[in-house]
Short mmCIF file of all heavy atoms in Angstrom, two decimals:
data_model
loop_
_atom_site.label_atom_id
_atom_site.label_comp_id
_atom_site.label_asym_id
_atom_site.label_seq_id
_atom_site.Cartn_x
_atom_site.Cartn_y
_atom_site.Cartn_z
N ALA A 1 41.27 164.69 178.22
CA ALA A 1 40.24 163.65 177.88
C ALA A 1 40.31 162.50 178.83
O ALA A 1 39.21 161.90 179.23
CB ALA A 1 40.30 163.30 176.43
N GLY A 2 41.58 162.08 179.09
CA GLY A 2 41.66 160.82 180.04
C GLY A 2 41.17 161.09 181.42
O GLY A 2 40.47 160.36 182.05
N ASN A 3 41.36 162.31 181.89
CA ASN A 3 40.89 162.70 183.26
C ASN A 3 39.48 162.75 183.33
O ASN A 3 38.77 162.25 184.23
CB ASN A 3 41.48 164.01 183.64
CG ASN A 3 41.84 164.19 185.09
OD1 ASN A 3 41.72 163.36 185.85
ND2 ASN A 3 42.36 165.36 185.49
N ARG A 4 38.77 163.25 182.18
CA ARG A 4 37.31 163.21 182.18
C ARG A 4 36.72 161.85 182.13
O ARG A 4 35.81 161.61 182.98
CB ARG A 4 36.89 164.11 180.99
CG ARG A 4 36.98 165.58 180.92
CD ARG A 4 36.16 166.25 179.94
NE ARG A 4 36.59 165.95 178.58
CZ ARG A 4 37.55 166.52 177.91
NH1 ARG A 4 38.17 167.50 178.44
NH2 ARG A 4 37.91 166.06 176.73
N ARG A 5 37.30 161.00 181.37
CA ARG A 5 36.91 159.66 181.24
C ARG A 5 37.03 158.94 182.61
O ARG A 5 36.15 158.08 183.04
CB ARG A 5 37.63 158.78 180.13
CG ARG A 5 37.05 157.41 179.85
CD ARG A 5 35.63 157.50 179.34
NE ARG A 5 35.71 158.01 177.94
CZ ARG A 5 35.79 157.18 176.92
NH1 ARG A 5 35.80 155.85 177.03
NH2 ARG A 5 35.77 157.77 175.71
N LEU A 6 38.02 159.22 183.36
CA LEU A 6 38.31 158.64 184.61
C LEU A 6 37.23 158.91 185.60
O LEU A 6 36.78 158.21 186.41
CB LEU A 6 39.66 159.02 185.15
CG LEU A 6 40.89 158.35 184.70
CD1 LEU A 6 42.17 159.11 185.07
CD2 LEU A 6 40.91 156.94 185.06
N GLN A 7 36.53 160.15 185.44
CA GLN A 7 35.63 160.54 186.45
C GLN A 7 34.21 160.10 185.96
O GLN A 7 33.34 160.17 186.72
CB GLN A 7 35.69 161.99 186.63
CG GLN A 7 37.02 162.49 187.24
CD GLN A 7 37.08 164.05 187.42
OE1 GLN A 7 36.32 164.53 188.12
NE2 GLN A 7 37.89 164.62 186.60
N GLU A 8 34.08 159.63 184.74
CA GLU A 8 32.75 159.43 184.21
C GLU A 8 32.50 157.89 184.35
O GLU A 8 31.29 157.51 184.46
CB GLU A 8 32.67 159.63 182.78
CG GLU A 8 32.69 161.16 182.36
CD GLU A 8 32.88 161.44 180.97
OE1 GLU A 8 33.06 160.50 180.13
OE2 GLU A 8 32.75 162.57 180.54
N THR A 9 33.44 157.01 184.46
CA THR A 9 33.27 155.62 184.36
C THR A 9 34.13 154.97 185.51
O THR A 9 35.19 155.40 185.85
CB THR A 9 33.69 155.08 182.99
OG1 THR A 9 32.99 155.78 182.03
CG2 THR A 9 33.39 153.52 182.96
N ARG A 10 33.67 153.82 185.95
CA ARG A 10 34.49 153.09 186.91
C ARG A 10 35.43 152.16 186.13
O ARG A 10 34.92 151.44 185.22
CB ARG A 10 33.65 152.20 187.93
CG ARG A 10 34.51 151.53 188.95
CD ARG A 10 33.62 150.43 189.62
NE ARG A 10 33.40 149.29 188.72
CZ ARG A 10 32.64 148.15 188.95
NH1 ARG A 10 32.03 148.13 190.16
NH2 ARG A 10 32.53 147.25 188.04
N TRP A 11 36.67 152.01 186.44
CA TRP A 11 37.59 151.18 185.72
C TRP A 11 38.27 150.15 186.61
O TRP A 11 38.43 150.46 187.78
CB TRP A 11 38.73 152.02 185.10
CG TRP A 11 38.14 153.19 184.16
CD1 TRP A 11 37.92 154.37 184.52
CD2 TRP A 11 37.68 153.02 182.84
NE1 TRP A 11 37.33 155.10 183.47
CE2 TRP A 11 37.27 154.19 182.43
CE3 TRP A 11 37.73 151.93 181.96
CZ2 TRP A 11 36.72 154.43 181.16
CZ3 TRP A 11 37.33 152.10 180.69
CH2 TRP A 11 36.71 153.36 180.26
N ASP A 12 38.46 148.97 186.10
CA ASP A 12 39.33 148.00 186.90
C ASP A 12 40.72 148.21 186.95
O ASP A 12 41.42 147.90 187.96
CB ASP A 12 38.89 146.67 186.36
CG ASP A 12 37.51 146.26 186.44
OD1 ASP A 12 36.95 146.22 187.55
OD2 ASP A 12 36.84 146.06 185.38
N VAL A 13 41.33 148.84 185.90
CA VAL A 13 42.72 149.19 185.77
C VAL A 13 42.94 150.16 184.71
O VAL A 13 42.16 150.34 183.67
CB VAL A 13 43.52 147.83 185.39
CG1 VAL A 13 43.13 147.28 184.12
CG2 VAL A 13 44.99 148.04 185.60
N VAL A 14 44.03 151.05 184.95
CA VAL A 14 44.27 152.10 183.97
C VAL A 14 45.75 151.78 183.50
O VAL A 14 46.58 151.64 184.33
CB VAL A 14 44.20 153.47 184.61
CG1 VAL A 14 44.63 154.53 183.50
CG2 VAL A 14 42.68 153.67 185.05
N VAL A 15 45.87 152.01 182.16
CA VAL A 15 47.36 151.93 181.64
C VAL A 15 47.65 153.38 181.19
O VAL A 15 46.93 153.89 180.27
CB VAL A 15 47.46 150.99 180.39
CG1 VAL A 15 48.88 151.13 179.89
CG2 VAL A 15 47.18 149.63 180.88
N LEU A 16 48.62 154.07 181.88
CA LEU A 16 48.74 155.47 181.63
C LEU A 16 50.12 155.85 181.10
O LEU A 16 51.14 155.56 181.77
CB LEU A 16 48.53 156.17 183.04
CG LEU A 16 48.73 157.64 183.14
CD1 LEU A 16 47.70 158.40 182.32
CD2 LEU A 16 48.61 158.03 184.65
N ASP A 17 50.09 156.52 180.05
CA ASP A 17 51.47 157.06 179.50
C ASP A 17 51.99 158.13 180.39
O ASP A 17 51.34 159.08 180.89
CB ASP A 17 51.26 157.59 178.04
CG ASP A 17 52.55 157.95 177.43
OD1 ASP A 17 53.68 157.47 177.78
OD2 ASP A 17 52.47 158.78 176.49
N ARG A 18 53.23 158.09 180.69
CA ARG A 18 53.88 159.04 181.54
C ARG A 18 53.96 160.50 180.85
O ARG A 18 53.66 161.49 181.57
CB ARG A 18 55.32 158.56 181.89
CG ARG A 18 56.26 159.67 182.44
CD ARG A 18 55.87 160.14 183.81
NE ARG A 18 56.77 160.94 184.43
CZ ARG A 18 56.78 162.34 184.20
NH1 ARG A 18 55.89 162.78 183.37
NH2 ARG A 18 57.72 163.07 184.85
N MET A 19 54.30 160.55 179.67
CA MET A 19 54.41 161.84 178.97
C MET A 19 53.28 161.97 177.90
O MET A 19 53.21 161.27 176.84
CB MET A 19 55.81 161.91 178.21
CG MET A 19 56.95 161.91 179.20
SD MET A 19 58.55 162.21 178.42
CE MET A 19 58.76 160.58 177.68
N LEU A 20 52.43 162.94 178.25
CA LEU A 20 51.28 163.14 177.38
C LEU A 20 51.18 164.61 176.88
O LEU A 20 51.65 165.54 177.65
CB LEU A 20 49.91 162.92 178.17
CG LEU A 20 49.63 161.39 178.54
CD1 LEU A 20 48.54 161.41 179.55
CD2 LEU A 20 49.24 160.64 177.34
N PRO A 21 50.68 164.85 175.67
CA PRO A 21 50.59 166.29 175.23
C PRO A 21 49.51 167.06 176.02
O PRO A 21 48.60 166.44 176.65
CB PRO A 21 50.16 166.04 173.81
CG PRO A 21 49.39 164.80 173.70
CD PRO A 21 50.17 163.90 174.75
N GLY A 22 49.67 168.36 175.95
CA GLY A 22 48.58 169.18 176.73
C GLY A 22 49.08 169.57 178.04
O GLY A 22 50.26 169.52 178.43
N GLN A 23 48.12 170.10 178.87
CA GLN A 23 48.50 170.69 180.20
C GLN A 23 48.69 169.71 181.35
O GLN A 23 49.23 169.98 182.36
CB GLN A 23 47.43 171.76 180.54
CG GLN A 23 47.40 172.88 179.48
CD GLN A 23 46.26 173.87 179.92
OE1 GLN A 23 45.45 173.69 180.77
NE2 GLN A 23 46.45 175.11 179.37
N VAL A 24 48.10 168.42 181.05
CA VAL A 24 48.16 167.45 182.13
C VAL A 24 48.85 166.26 181.54
O VAL A 24 48.48 165.55 180.64
CB VAL A 24 46.72 167.08 182.50
CG1 VAL A 24 46.72 166.04 183.68
CG2 VAL A 24 45.78 168.24 182.96
N ASP A 25 49.95 165.86 182.24
CA ASP A 25 50.71 164.73 181.90
C ASP A 25 50.30 163.56 182.75
O ASP A 25 49.40 163.61 183.54
CB ASP A 25 52.21 164.96 181.96
CG ASP A 25 52.68 165.18 183.36
OD1 ASP A 25 51.95 165.22 184.32
OD2 ASP A 25 53.99 165.37 183.49
N GLY A 26 50.98 162.42 182.52
CA GLY A 26 50.62 161.26 183.26
C GLY A 26 50.70 161.46 184.78
O GLY A 26 49.80 160.93 185.57
N ILE A 27 51.72 161.99 185.28
CA ILE A 27 51.87 162.24 186.64
C ILE A 27 50.83 163.17 187.25
O ILE A 27 50.20 162.98 188.27
CB ILE A 27 53.32 162.89 187.04
CG1 ILE A 27 54.48 161.96 186.74
CG2 ILE A 27 53.40 163.32 188.46
CD1 ILE A 27 54.41 160.63 187.55
N GLY A 28 50.48 164.22 186.44
CA GLY A 28 49.35 165.11 186.86
C GLY A 28 48.06 164.38 187.01
O GLY A 28 47.23 164.50 187.96
N ILE A 29 47.77 163.38 185.98
CA ILE A 29 46.53 162.76 186.08
C ILE A 29 46.49 161.89 187.41
O ILE A 29 45.55 161.74 188.09
CB ILE A 29 46.41 161.75 184.80
CG1 ILE A 29 46.09 162.59 183.63
CG2 ILE A 29 45.20 160.72 185.09
CD1 ILE A 29 45.97 161.79 182.29
N LEU A 30 47.55 161.22 187.68
CA LEU A 30 47.76 160.28 188.71
C LEU A 30 47.52 161.04 190.08
O LEU A 30 46.77 160.55 190.98
CB LEU A 30 49.08 159.61 188.76
CG LEU A 30 49.41 158.39 189.64
CD1 LEU A 30 48.27 157.37 189.48
CD2 LEU A 30 50.69 157.97 189.31
N GLU A 31 48.12 162.18 190.16
CA GLU A 31 48.12 163.01 191.39
C GLU A 31 46.60 163.47 191.58
O GLU A 31 46.13 163.57 192.71
CB GLU A 31 48.98 164.20 191.30
CG GLU A 31 50.44 163.81 191.40
CD GLU A 31 51.34 164.93 191.26
OE1 GLU A 31 50.93 166.04 190.58
OE2 GLU A 31 52.51 164.87 191.67
N GLN A 32 45.85 163.89 190.48
CA GLN A 32 44.49 164.25 190.56
C GLN A 32 43.67 163.14 191.09
O GLN A 32 42.69 163.24 191.75
CB GLN A 32 44.00 164.91 189.36
CG GLN A 32 44.68 166.30 189.04
CD GLN A 32 44.25 166.87 187.79
OE1 GLN A 32 43.05 166.87 187.43
NE2 GLN A 32 45.14 167.44 186.96
N MET A 33 43.89 161.95 190.46
CA MET A 33 43.17 160.75 190.84
C MET A 33 43.22 160.51 192.40
O MET A 33 42.20 160.33 192.99
CB MET A 33 43.62 159.54 190.05
CG MET A 33 43.28 159.43 188.61
SD MET A 33 44.02 157.90 187.83
CE MET A 33 43.17 156.67 188.71
N ARG A 34 44.41 160.37 192.84
CA ARG A 34 44.55 160.12 194.20
C ARG A 34 44.01 161.16 195.16
O ARG A 34 43.58 160.91 196.31
CB ARG A 34 46.05 159.79 194.52
CG ARG A 34 46.72 158.71 193.72
CD ARG A 34 45.78 157.50 193.59
NE ARG A 34 46.48 156.41 192.99
CZ ARG A 34 45.85 155.47 192.25
NH1 ARG A 34 44.51 155.46 191.94
NH2 ARG A 34 46.54 154.40 191.67
N ALA A 35 44.15 162.40 194.69
CA ALA A 35 43.60 163.62 195.57
C ALA A 35 42.16 163.51 195.71
O ALA A 35 41.58 163.88 196.76
CB ALA A 35 44.07 164.97 194.86
N ARG A 36 41.43 163.01 194.62
CA ARG A 36 39.93 162.86 194.81
C ARG A 36 39.58 161.44 195.31
O ARG A 36 38.38 161.21 195.34
CB ARG A 36 39.25 163.25 193.51
CG ARG A 36 39.62 162.30 192.39
CD ARG A 36 38.77 162.63 191.12
NE ARG A 36 39.18 161.90 190.03
CZ ARG A 36 39.87 162.18 189.03
NH1 ARG A 36 40.46 163.45 188.97
NH2 ARG A 36 40.18 161.45 188.07
N GLY A 37 40.50 160.66 195.81
CA GLY A 37 40.32 159.39 196.51
C GLY A 37 39.94 158.39 195.49
O GLY A 37 39.53 157.22 195.89
N ASP A 38 40.35 158.50 194.30
CA ASP A 38 40.24 157.43 193.21
C ASP A 38 41.45 156.33 193.46
O ASP A 38 42.51 156.71 193.08
CB ASP A 38 40.14 157.96 191.88
CG ASP A 38 39.89 156.93 190.81
OD1 ASP A 38 39.87 155.68 191.08
OD2 ASP A 38 39.54 157.35 189.64
N GLY A 39 41.02 155.18 193.89
CA GLY A 39 42.02 154.17 194.05
C GLY A 39 42.30 153.16 192.98
O GLY A 39 42.92 152.15 193.24
#
């Protein structure tokens, strides 16, 4: 859900928990953000 919200809206800052339930943890979200150029 966090990953979807990141792509739907522009954010000024993100506070991201390192260990999240499900298939994507905090590191995974971060890596996907940077891979798609989200700074």
Side-chain angles (χ1 to χ4, degrees):
N3 218 359
R4 286 194 299 272
R5 185 66 72 92
L6 282 165
Q7 296 179 67
E8 293 170 354
T9 306
R10 187 195 72 184
W11 303 96
D12 294 299
V13 65
V14 176
V15 178
L16 175 64
D17 184 25
R18 165 68 176 82
M19 294 184 290
L20 293 166
Q23 297 181 344
V24 185
D25 67 357
I27 294 294
I29 289 178
L30 192 53
E31 290 174 341
Q32 291 180 43
M33 286 178 66
R34 301 318 187 212
R36 62 177 176 259
D38 185 346

